[in-house]
Amino acid sequence: MALKNEHQQRQPKTMKTLRTSEPSEVTQLIHTLVPEIIVEILLRLPVESLLRSRSVCKLWRSIISDPQFIKSHLSFSTSNNLYALHRLIFSTVPKLSIKSCPLYDVLYDGSVNALELNYPLKHSLKSVWIAGSCNGLLLITNEDYTLFIWNPSTRRSNLLPNNGVKSRLGWHEKYGLGCYESTDDYKVVGISSIFRDDSDGARYDTIVKIYSLKTGNWKKTDDLHNGFPLDGSVTFLNGAFHWAASRKFGSSYSWMIVSLDLAKETYGEILQPVYDEGDKDLTLGVVGEWLCVLCDYYKVCADVWVLKFYGVKDSWIKLVSIPYLTDPGWDQFSVPLCISNDGKFLLQFGLKLVVYDSRNRSFSEIQKLNECLDAFTFVESLVSPIFLRAGAVNNNDG
């Protein structure tokens, strides 16, 4: 494939010279390169190579550890249209683990060998879930409601303190991860709710707390009055967390999108598109830089809606309608994990992963990936899950 050949040929020739030269020639070449050229070379390397390159000399270590270089590398990697540094990561059942593989291989090879990862607090008998992904960092939780932020590329992690909400029978908890760019602070939202039916009537009590990586503390926000949270993930986009909620119970059930603005710490509602008539199931997500809603018409098709301009209701567009070719049983398509530039939609379908090619309206099932509990895509990065105080050195040690 032309795309793949280009992908294989894009490795910097300079690095090939370094590997094949004699040690004295390597040293001489390094000293003749100006820092600007070194930075341009290093920006194109995967994280694993960068971690090894820190040992070349003090200058390289200083460059790779610099916060501005880490931001630039993240931006360069994210914008790579060949998905060179993008990966798919997913938790598995019945064997409880987390696996990862290159996103390019998933989209274009159809058969991949996913590697099992050693994540913090790994336990063969405890379920683990991926709750969110942001700038190469993952938010992981297990059945004990232990939370940690983990960078699988650098293998660094940060165990978060308990949010102080006492879990009781009937509690429902969900979490999300995002980056507040104006302060370079990564934040976790924790939403805890419980159904009550007492003398005051039937209702949901909901507590929302936000954890700041900079302060290392949880902070309670104002009480949530915009309905009770529904199943599904908490997404982050445009400086705000988003999740699905309903204003009412039972037959009066209604589906809405709640937003929590991190700057103002205020709640809002994202207005939805006008869906087609018929029984449907709605799922909220984020695809690239778009808020996304998957509208599933049971056993018929799933429409993918995206909000092209955040906050502008009229900018909702239906990208594609994905048909169910056979009876799916209880399984449904997920919100797309990725939409490629050439019209490929990567979807979770039950425990499987499939690619729908919107150009020729064909499906391909990803071989050897039939045990996915939940899946995310992420880009390799040097971003640390541990906030570094002024004067600290970012070693990103594995």
Side-chain angles (χ1 to χ4, degrees):
M1 298 171 60
L3 243 175
K4 189 167 184 179
N5 290 336
E6 185 180 353
H7 167 71
Q8 293 169 338
Q9 294 171 1
R10 71 181 184 282
Q11 300 301 326
K13 294 181 179 179
T14 304
M15 297 310 295
K16 184 174 181 181
T17 303
L18 289 177
R19 289 195 296 268
T20 58
S21 301
E22 295 297 323
S24 59
E25 295 176 350
V26 172
T27 303
Q28 184 179 2
L29 179 57
I30 288 174
H31 287 297
T32 59
L33 292 174
V34 295
E36 290 79 8
I37 295 178
I38 295 175
V39 170
E40 286 301 313
I41 294 172
L42 295 177
L43 282 174
R44 288 159 172 77
L45 296 183
V47 171
E48 185 177 356
S49 297
L50 288 174
L51 295 179
R52 290 198 303 266
S53 298
R54 293 177 308 169
S55 303
V56 171
C57 63
K58 290 183 179 180
L59 174 61
W60 284 32
R61 186 178 188 87
S62 175
I63 292 173
I64 295 169
S65 302
D66 182 78
Q68 187 55 52
F69 175 84
I70 293 173
K71 285 184 180 180
S72 298
H73 182 265
L74 173 64
S75 177
F76 187 89
S77 302
T78 303
S79 61
N80 188 303
N81 291 330
L82 296 177
Y83 309 107
L85 299 178
H86 290 72
R87 298 188 68 85
L88 175 74
I89 191 165
F90 53 95
S91 57
T92 68
V93 290
K95 182 179 180 181
L96 307 177
S97 66
I98 293 179
K99 293 184 177 182
S100 180
C101 57
L103 180 59
Y104 182 94
D105 293 351
V106 175
L107 288 172
Y108 297 105
D109 281 356
S111 178
V112 299
N113 290 313
L115 298 177
E116 185 172 339
L117 304 180
N118 288 318
Y119 55 90
L121 305 180
K122 185 174 183 178
H123 194 294
S124 61
L125 299 179
K126 289 187 177 181
S127 298
V128 61
W129 296 272
I130 303 171
S133 170
C134 181
N135 293 345
L137 299 180
L138 299 174
L139 180 64
I140 308 292
T141 183
N142 61 18
E143 62 187 49
D144 296 328
Y145 295 107
T146 301
L147 277 175
F148 58 89
I149 301 176
W150 174 46
N151 184 327
S153 302
T154 64
R155 298 174 293 280
R156 298 200 80 190
S157 63
N158 186 358
L159 181 66
L160 304 190
N162 188 282
N163 63 10
V165 178
K166 294 182 179 179
S167 296
R168 288 171 283 175
L169 185 64
W171 273 105
H172 174 69
E173 295 186 322
K174 59 197 305 179
Y175 301 93
L177 173 66
C179 178
Y180 187 35
E181 293 186 359
S182 65
T183 59
D184 280 335
D185 190 10
Y186 286 85
K187 299 202 174 188
V188 174
V189 65
I191 307 168
S192 306
S193 57
I194 189 171
F195 177 76
R196 298 185 185 280
D197 191 0
D198 50 29
S199 57
D200 295 327
R203 68 188 188 281
Y204 264 88
D205 288 343
T206 302
I207 298 173
V208 180
K209 287 191 170 186
I210 298 175
Y211 176 83
S212 164
L213 200 62
K214 275 193 173 182
T215 66
N217 296 317
W218 288 93
K219 176 184 176 183
K220 187 177 182 297
T221 67
D222 292 337
D223 291 337
L224 176 64
H225 299 294
N226 297 49
F228 61 92
L230 299 173
D231 290 339
S233 61
V234 178
T235 64
F236 184 81
L237 183 71
N238 203 55
F241 288 108
H242 307 84
W243 61 88
S246 177
R247 293 187 181 89
K248 299 178 181 179
F249 307 107
S251 58
S252 300
Y253 161 88
S254 63
W255 196 88
M256 62 184 291
I257 303 172
V258 175
S259 65
L260 172 56
D261 186 285
L262 282 183
K264 303 175 183 177
E265 294 192 1
T266 55
Y267 298 104
E269 180 181 353
I270 302 296
L271 299 180
Q272 301 172 60
V274 178
Y275 307 110
D276 295 338
E277 294 294 328
D279 292 337
K280 50 189 168 286
D281 187 40
L282 302 173
T283 307
L284 178 67
V286 166
V287 180
E289 298 180 351
W290 299 328
L291 203 63
C292 177
V293 172
L294 184 108
C295 181
D296 190 285
Y297 296 93
Y298 304 104
K299 301 185 179 183
V300 178
C301 66
D303 293 344
V304 178
W305 290 84
V306 296
L307 186 62
K308 298 284 284 189
F309 301 101
Y310 187 83
V312 181
K313 182 182 183 297
D314 292 339
S315 69
W316 282 103
I317 64 168
K318 182 164 64 174
L319 283 184
V320 68
S321 184
I322 304 174
Y324 286 106
L325 301 182
T326 59
D327 187 342
W330 294 103
D331 293 331
Q332 293 182 351
F333 291 125
S334 70
V335 170
L337 301 171
C338 172
I339 303 175
S340 70
N341 293 328
D342 56 349
K344 289 181 170 60
F345 289 70
L346 176 61
L347 308 155
Q348 189 170 347
F349 179 66
L351 297 178
K352 301 177 181 179
L353 289 172
V354 297
V355 172
Y356 176 70
D357 191 328
S358 60
R359 293 186 176 182
N360 58 28
R361 299 182 181 179
S362 65
F363 286 93
S364 58
E365 182 180 330
I366 309 303
Q367 301 300 313
K368 302 180 183 177
L369 295 185
N370 56 2
E371 54 185 7
C372 298
L373 181 60
D374 50 25
F376 284 80
T377 61
F378 74 97
V379 63
E380 292 182 15
S381 81
L382 291 165
V383 175
S384 175
I386 302 171
F387 176 70
L388 299 171
R389 300 297 187 265
V393 178
N394 181 16
N395 291 322
N396 270 311
D397 295 323

